[in-house]
Amino acid sequence: MKLNIVAATLVASLSLAACDQIATGRDLPPPPGPPAPPSPDLPMTAAKARLIMGNLSNSCRELATLKYDMHACELKQGNPASEEALRTELRDLRWNLDKLTADEASAQCAAQTNALRETPKPRACW
């Protein structure tokens, strides 16, 4: 019986302490950030690039595919291109896009895709 009273008193005092923290204007801890994007095994493929974009808009998945295609083009030309760097770039992109609203993320992806499409594609990559 005494244990129940002690437990109830402890719970009540902790609850009041939490209310007191809010009432005194102390800063609450920030909400957790977005979850970490997936990190598929290497070597990268177009499907894995899209997987990193997850449930973002089609324009973001299209951007990931285009970035993979550009990476593959570099490899076809014999230029050094890091699979790990591509994966990291896409993960960083996803992390930043997750902080935006869906409309903002989609618009940003569309703008980046349009800018990349203006880059001429070397003949070896056709």
Side-chain angles (χ1 to χ4, degrees), residues 13-38:
S13 64
L14 289 174
S15 298
L16 287 175
C19 290
D20 183 49
Q21 182 179 10
I22 294 170
T24 59
R26 290 188 224 158
D27 291 335
L28 294 175

Side-chain angles (χ1 to χ4, degrees), residues 93-110:
L93 177 64
R94 164 79 186 271
W95 180 263
N96 291 323
L97 292 171
D98 277 341
K99 295 175 185 176
L100 304 174
T101 66
D103 289 340
E104 290 171 334
S106 183
Q108 193 173 76
C109 288

Side-chain angles (χ1 to χ4, degrees), residues 63-109:
L63 175 60
T65 303
L66 182 57
K67 285 186 175 281
Y68 172 78
D69 289 345
M70 293 175 76
H71 166 80
C73 180
E74 290 294 318
L75 292 174
K76 283 181 184 177
Q77 296 177 78
N79 297 331
S82 169
E83 303 265 330
E84 191 170 335
L86 173 64
R87 180 177 64 184
T88 300
E89 177 186 0
L90 291 172
R91 291 185 80 236
D92 289 349
L93 177 64
R94 164 79 186 271
W95 180 263
N96 291 323
L97 292 171
D98 277 341
K99 295 175 185 176
L100 304 174
T101 66
D103 289 340
E104 290 171 334
S106 183
Q108 193 173 76
C109 288

